[in-house]
Amino acid sequence: MIRLGTGRLERIVAVGAHCDDIAIGAGGTLLTLCRARPGLRVDALVLSGGGTEREQEEAEALAAFCPGADLRLTVDKLPDGRLPAHWAEAKAAVEELRARTEPDLVLAPRTEDAHQDHRGLAKLMTTAFRDHLVLGYEIVKWDGDLGRPVVYQPLAPETAEDKVRLLQEHYPSQRHRPWYDREAFLGLARIRGIESNARYAEAFAVTKLTVDLGG
């Protein structure tokens, strides 16, 4: 297992097709980063949920997942489950995000995600952020689309517990879903921890990575 860092992180981008995607896929990583780097700028974009109760949930949740950060959140109003039919609007939102930030790290859905909204957003990110480290987070669901990740962020046990607690606390609209529970979130984190020689971890896909071995 090779452990690599990214150098000094000052700005990151986090995107989701729906409210709660970012927190489910990368909430532990956000907690880890923001606690280690007070003042970190986080530009977050969510494509759907704007103008509904979910937007308020997302604002409060990401504020909790990004303690001490300079959080700048945009929640758009694309209809849930219809991103392919609203490709132009989604692309414009991503391009607007790109125009206002030069991030050191991008957290986004995986291009292999079975959900059409997640997958579509993932494809937009790798074209808009061509020269950036884009890590694709995973979201467990009934599709059974979890793959073999190649990048891991170990999570301290208290961070993993905080992630689960914040997910339950800040997204009451999702509590009725059969997969939205402590066992699912902590269980996946435990499996990814086993794979990365840690207690808990979040895992990511990467489509392209350039290294500077002589630097």
Side-chain angles (χ1 to χ4, degrees):
M1 176 70 66
I2 299 175
R3 294 184 178 270
L4 300 174
T6 59
R8 180 66 181 175
L9 291 177
E10 297 182 354
R11 295 187 177 198
I12 69 171
V13 158
V15 300
H18 318 101
C19 296
D20 78 17
D21 285 355
I22 296 171
I24 291 173
T29 297
L30 286 175
L31 284 169
T32 300
L33 287 172
C34 293
R35 287 170 174 171
R37 298 171 174 85
L40 178 69
R41 176 168 161 175
V42 179
D43 287 277
L45 169 66
V46 179
L47 292 181
S48 64
T52 72
E53 66 172 358
R54 301 217 61 200
E55 180 176 6
Q56 184 62 34
E57 286 183 345
E58 186 75 342
E60 294 176 359
L62 289 189
F65 275 102
C66 301
D70 176 10
L71 175 64
R72 307 180 187 197
L73 170 64
T74 300
V75 181
D76 280 346
K77 298 181 179 181
L78 272 65
D80 187 351
R82 299 290 187 271
L83 188 150
H86 295 266
W87 189 257
E89 297 100 311
K91 184 175 177 61
V94 169
E95 289 177 344
E96 181 181 338
L97 172 65
R98 175 67 185 93
R100 67 174 182 262
T101 186
E102 186 64 51
D104 303 302
L105 171 67
V106 178
L107 301 171
R110 298 180 305 129
T111 56
E112 300 84 4
D113 195 297
H115 194 295
Q116 66 272 18
D117 291 356
H118 301 172
R119 188 171 62 250
L121 177 56
K123 292 178 179 178
L124 285 170
M125 296 305 293
T126 55
T127 58
F129 293 86
R130 291 176 179 269
D131 299 315
H132 302 79
L133 176 59
V134 180
L135 298 182
Y137 56 73
E138 55 184 355
I139 296 179
V140 64
K141 49 188 170 303
W142 74 272
D143 303 82
D145 62 351
L146 296 179
R148 296 188 62 182
V150 295
V151 178
Y152 297 85
Q153 171 59 54
L155 303 179
E158 58 269 25
T159 301
E161 292 284 355
D162 285 345
K163 173 183 176 177
V164 173
R165 175 180 57 80
L166 291 174
L167 284 171
Q168 292 290 346
E169 178 180 337
H170 287 288
Y171 295 103
S173 66
Q174 304 304 298
R175 292 176 190 156
H176 68 284
R177 299 185 182 278
W179 54 267
Y180 197 92
D181 59 28
R182 171 185 171 84
E183 288 180 301
F185 299 132
L186 208 56
L188 180 58
R190 179 68 186 111
I191 291 171
R192 297 318 189 197
I194 292 170
E195 295 172 349
S196 57
N197 198 28
R199 182 65 185 175
Y200 298 106
E202 285 179 337
F204 302 88
V206 61
T207 56
K208 186 181 293 186
L209 175 65
T210 299
V211 299
D212 181 4
L213 299 179

